[in-house]
Amino acid sequence: MQTATDKSNEVGLDDINIVESAKTKKAITAAALGNTIEWFDFGVYGYVAYVLGKVFFPNTSPSLQLIATLAAFSIPFVFRPIGGIIFGFLGDKYGRKHILAITIMIMTLSTCGIGLIPSYESIGIWAPILLLIVKIAQGISVGGEYAGAAIFVAEYSPDRKRGFMASWLDFGSIAGFLIGAGTVSFISSMVGEHSFAEWGWRIPFLLSLPLGLVGMYLRNALEETPAYKKATENAEKKIPFREVLTTHKRSLWVCVGIVVSTDVVYYMLLTYLPSYFTHNLHYPSNRGEMVTIGVMFGMLFLQLFIGWLSDKVGRRPFIFAGSLSLIFLSYPAFMLMTSGVESLMFAGLFILALSVNMLLGIMAATIPALFPTDIRYSALAAAFNISIVFAGLTPTVTAALVENTGNLMIPAYYLIVFGFVGLITAFYFKETANKPLYGTAPIAEDHQEAKELLEVFHENIEEKVQKIDEKMDELSQKREKLVSQHPELK
């Protein structure tokens, strides 16, 4: 007979979270806007890096100006784990929506602040110092942003559509980059190169303010996620974060592997390559921008398709495919990009974009599913932001290596190394598609789907119990054999 405790632990139809599609869409829009602002800044920063070098580091050579500007981009990544730890802890304690409202506010103000900093000619050494301070503040806020947004979307998404729903998060990233790069190109063409270098570069950064205000309004209007509310209502026992390092060691390493292998190629493609084309390949900046923007438009739609397809075939095949693509196609891609032929250059960029999409299209749906609700924000933010430190150094390290060696294939070798990181991760990764989030009851879109998910949930439990029973029988037989060999244990 079942005891009262057994009954209280049963998962029935009332335990299935049913989330209306309208609420899911609102959650996705509010979460994706933060990513849009983050990557709006990255898109603008990457495309005006050559101008910022002249504004903030005028007394150095063009090569050192570029490296110094990219370093100002990369150094804040060191501070992202601090933001991840702070906002991760607060997000698990006080809820997801409140922390996401705070992070988008800090991120918006710091991005806007870049456009308000006077030049080196006006205030001297304080100009680059202020740039670094603002970028550090931005890094701390972003430390809690992506992890929180990914969790927010994952905890609002039905299990059977989590891949597609979460793919909109990085759709926002790519869209933000496109809007940023497009804004730079538009303003530059309207005011002319000279005026753009004098004052026009400030406009794109200032435009982040209205975007951020809209994002803050949408996030404040949302309800807390169903998974977090249920965990709070049940007053589940909190897991000390130090136990995460032992209890969830495999999940932490898998998270690190996915994030590093994805974001290294992401930052290479979106942040470093615009400067690589202009500075190293001497390609006209406006032409390079148009080719890159064209590839990014293709990535937008491919991102959503891969997210949708991962709900059908799983996330693991895409981690394998994206990693193998980096290993075997990175060198050919850079051979095409350095050929000097625009059509071949476009083809090389498309190969890298495809590699990015295969990994990025499943990342936001995958990494929140690795950890239980109580420590999901803390664990994911810590693992994600420690990983992102390595990825964020990609533009600076690659630029320095290319300058010191004169070898234009260095970026390809760099990507190949991290392709192997992704491949190893794929071997250790356990499939999460169409399954509930770790330690969470299934999430459905309607009542009928809730019934279907409950049946599948119970079937999975039955399979696990059967495997345990088989293991127990095997251990029992081994025990009897050992006991039979001992005179006193018979």
Side-chain angles (χ1 to χ4, degrees), residues 203-241:
I203 298 175
F205 291 108
L206 299 176
L207 289 175
S208 65
L209 187 59
L211 276 175
L213 292 175
V214 172
M216 261 193 299
Y217 170 77
L218 289 175
R219 288 184 175 183
N220 279 316
L222 284 170
E223 295 179 13
E224 190 53 81
T225 68
Y228 183 81
K229 284 197 291 187
K230 185 155 286 189
T232 306
E233 288 169 4
N234 295 339
E236 295 175 4
K237 179 181 178 293
K238 298 293 180 182
I239 302 173
F241 185 72

Side-chain angles (χ1 to χ4, degrees), residues 94-105:
Y94 299 109
R96 289 44 167 137
K97 62 167 282 187
H98 301 299
I99 301 308
L100 285 174
I102 294 171
T103 58
I104 198 171
M105 178 181 67

